[in-house]
Amino acid sequence: MKEETHDKRKCPSHLSTTECTKMLLPVKDALDVLSGKWKLQIILSLTFGKKRFKQIQREIPGLTPKMLSKELKELEINQLASRHVYDTLPVSVEYELTTYGKTLKPLIGELHKWGSTHRKRIIAGK
Amino acid sequence: MKEETHDKRKCPSHLSTTECTKMLLPVKDALDVLSGKWKLQIILSLTFGKKRFKQIQREIPGLTPKMLSKELKELEINQLASRHVYDTLPVSVEYELTTYGKTLKPLIGELHKWGSTHRKRIIAGK
DNA sequence: CAGGATCCGTAACGATACTG
DNA sequence: CAGTATCGTTACGGATCCTG
């Protein structure tokens, strides 16, 4: 099974360095937005549906409110997640992925898939 | 002071909190190995074929030899990349993805894809 | 409950210079 | 060329307490 038809992702040794650099730009952009220890885990958590602050924190071991708050703000700024405040007593806040945030699902899917096999590899005793 | 009777609070509609946490584990494992500002960019660079140290550095703007050296070592430790020294004068060293490292291609592919659309979104003026 | 404020140690990263 | 060494900065991230 030959995978490449006319894939633009051909950058063997004969292509210029600057061309290779250009290929890297989108990856860098993605990384800028998704970087950090928690963001992708939070996004994965939110792919299951709306969540309250505390619940997200419960689901992700080691995540402190300070970091969660900070990461959620960045996700909001990048329009990947949205915040909804409900006037209950005490106040409750829900977060959910935006439509744009949901476009990350395939990426998260791959990450989860690779992580699963990698995990087995580690446990098997690398 | 804990008032929770049991941790069986709803995650989405059918998953418990602990089950959600489990889903997150593989993602966390993947992140542990791929973390940092440069690793994924280096891997992408290597998906195009063997590269020498200096060439990788040239292709990734802002990457210093110190960081490149450090990241390559970690990739080696995790068996994602391999190092080959050639007894030339001066010495030349080539890096390439291992078979295992190549299993990251689908993930990088998604990252590149998402990053491309995200880049357009940014440039369009979010 | 949802978070902000503060303090503080560590780890990541950057710039520059230097060696075999 | 392929890295190291050194130094300095910034970001990460934990702990604790506090507020609306």
Side-chain angles (χ1 to χ4, degrees):
Chain A
M1 48 190 186
K2 289 306 157 196
E3 58 286 333
E4 352 236 336
T5 49
H6 69 304
D7 198 344
K8 56 182 176 180
R9 296 182 48 198
K10 282 187 192 167
C11 186
S13 333
H14 62 273
L15 278 196
S16 73
T17 297
T18 45
E19 307 251 21
C20 284
T21 303
K22 266 190 206 164
M23 302 284 322
L24 258 69
L25 273 173
V27 172
K28 188 179 171 3
D29 291 332
L31 257 30
D32 284 343
V33 170
L34 305 173
S35 69
K37 196 170 171 180
W38 307 110
K39 236 156 289 179
L40 282 163
Q41 295 183 68
I42 294 170
I43 293 171
L44 173 56
S45 162
L46 289 178
T47 59
F48 299 130
K50 297 181 168 190
K51 296 277 172 68
R52 296 180 61 175
F53 188 91
K54 190 75 178 189
Q55 189 174 1
I56 301 172
Q57 200 199 330
R58 257 197 307 264
E59 284 171 15
I60 305 179
L63 179 53
T64 60
K66 179 176 112 182
M67 290 311 295
L68 178 54
S69 173
K70 186 194 145 211
E71 302 284 57
L72 283 171
K73 263 175 202 160
E74 291 182 18
L75 292 180
E76 258 198 278
I77 288 172
N78 290 298
Q79 301 173 27
L80 297 173
S82 58
R83 198 179 104 115
H84 308 278
V85 183
Y86 297 96
D87 199 5
T88 55
L89 185 70
V91 67
S92 61
V93 180
E94 284 188 346
Y95 292 88
E96 68 178 324
L97 289 187
T98 61
T99 306
Y100 186 49
K102 287 174 186 164
T103 63
L104 280 168
K105 283 189 180 184
L107 176 53
I108 303 262
E110 285 297 332
L111 194 66
H112 183 270
K113 225 164 68 183
W114 191 85
S116 296
T117 68
H118 182 63
R119 187 172 181 76
K120 284 175 201 149
R121 200 174 208 260
I122 295 172
I123 293 173
K126 95 179 158 185
Chain B
M1 174 168 292
K2 301 195 170 173
E3 81 295 339
E4 31 195 342
T5 49
H6 47 244
D7 282 71
K8 273 303 183 186
R9 298 208 51 118
K10 287 335 202 100
C11 171
S13 41
H14 53 288
L15 289 184
S16 70
T17 296
T18 46
E19 283 182 292
C20 280
T21 303
K22 267 189 203 164
M23 297 279 313
L24 259 68
L25 273 173
V27 172
K28 188 179 170 3
D29 291 332
L31 257 30
D32 284 344
V33 169
L34 304 174
S35 69
K37 196 170 170 179
W38 306 109
K39 237 157 289 178
L40 282 163
Q41 295 184 68
I42 293 170
I43 292 170
L44 173 56
S45 162
L46 289 178
T47 59
F48 301 129
K50 298 181 167 188
K51 296 275 173 71
R52 297 179 61 174
F53 188 91
K54 189 74 179 189
Q55 189 175 2
I56 301 172
Q57 198 200 329
R58 256 197 306 265
E59 283 171 15
I60 306 179
L63 178 53
T64 61
K66 178 178 120 181
M67 291 311 296
L68 178 54
S69 174
K70 186 196 144 211
E71 302 284 57
L72 283 170
K73 264 174 202 161
E74 292 183 29
L75 293 179
E76 258 197 278
I77 289 172
N78 290 298
Q79 301 172 28
L80 296 173
S82 58
R83 198 179 102 116
H84 308 279
V85 183
Y86 297 96
D87 198 4
T88 56
L89 189 68
V91 68
S92 61
V93 181
E94 284 189 344
Y95 291 88
E96 67 177 325
L97 289 187
T98 62
T99 306
Y100 186 50
K102 287 174 186 164
T103 63
L104 280 167
K105 282 189 180 186
L107 174 52
I108 302 260
E110 285 297 332
L111 194 66
H112 183 270
K113 225 164 68 184
W114 190 86
S116 295
T117 69
H118 182 63
R119 187 172 182 73
K120 286 174 200 148
R121 199 173 208 261
I122 295 173
I123 293 173
K126 83 174 162 194

